[in-house]
Amino acid sequence: MKKRYLYVLLFGLPALLVAVIIATLLFGAAAGILWIFVFGDNPWPASAGTMLTTVLVSACITLWVGLLSAAYRFGIKQEEQASLNTRHVWAAVGGTVLLVLLVVAHQWSVGNLGPKSAGELCADFCQEKGYAGSGMPPRDAGAATCSCFDAHGRETVTVPMGEITVRQGK
């Protein structure tokens, strides 16, 4: 197999990860601009969602194709060498692992991965019991309790967080 194709295969996955990350950042920036300067908190038209999705997909595909073409051109330059450079293989593997770890670390830091926070445990507990809402005292208040509210916003029950974490663990 010619190295031009081998480098496209070798760097295809890391290039895709980079393209998805950058496209997601562009999507967030475009949505933020629309929210702050155009639509605000008013209802957004369906065309805005379509446009944002189109921007996300187009940016991702364009970036990925651009990165793959760069890998292709780099592979052409490497065809003069007799064997495959193992540092390039390790760079592709290391880059892929690093990008995956970056995404996992980000998702962990925003709370999408890992243990649930006390607020989430409280909300889950109250929702499971059929209450309309939940709340907790401020963190520096020293009271680790969960309050459940009825449909009128009245506090109905207050439970120590220790009991909730024990119940959720079962």
Side-chain angles (χ1 to χ4, degrees):
M1 177 182 284
K2 290 189 175 194
K3 286 190 182 176
R4 62 185 74 180
Y5 305 121
L6 190 60
Y7 273 82
V8 169
L9 290 175
L10 187 62
F11 286 97
L13 182 59
L16 178 63
L17 292 173
V18 167
V20 168
I21 290 169
I22 293 173
T24 303
L25 292 173
L26 289 172
F27 174 84
I33 289 169
L34 287 176
W35 177 45
I36 292 173
F37 297 113
V38 180
F39 301 117
D41 289 335
N42 298 324
W44 288 30
S47 61
T50 304
M51 184 200 65
L52 286 172
T53 304
T54 303
V55 165
L56 175 70
V57 172
S58 299
C60 186
I61 290 171
T62 303
L63 287 164
W64 193 35
V65 168
L67 291 169
L68 289 178
S69 63
Y72 181 83
R73 287 191 306 275
F74 188 76
I76 289 173
K77 292 179 184 177
Q78 295 299 311
E79 287 180 352
E80 299 169 358
Q81 309 294 329
S83 64
L84 181 64
N85 190 336
T86 56
R87 282 189 280 163
H88 296 161
V89 174
W90 284 111
V93 171
T96 303
V97 169
L98 182 67
L99 289 167
V100 168
L101 288 176
L102 179 72
V103 170
V104 168
H106 175 265
Q107 292 301 304
W108 186 281
S109 71
V110 298
N112 291 337
L113 299 175
K116 288 187 174 186
S117 69
E120 289 175 308
L121 290 173
C122 177
D124 289 347
F125 172 78
C126 291
Q127 187 176 23
E128 180 183 296
K129 298 295 182 189
Y131 294 105
S134 64
M136 295 183 60
R139 290 183 191 153
D140 58 356
T145 59
C146 171
S147 300
C148 298
F149 303 103
D150 63 12
H152 300 289
R154 292 184 295 249
E155 185 175 336
T156 323
V157 66
T158 300
V159 180
M161 284 304 294
E163 289 183 28
I164 292 175
T165 54
V166 170
R167 290 180 191 174
Q168 293 290 328
K170 290 184 181 180

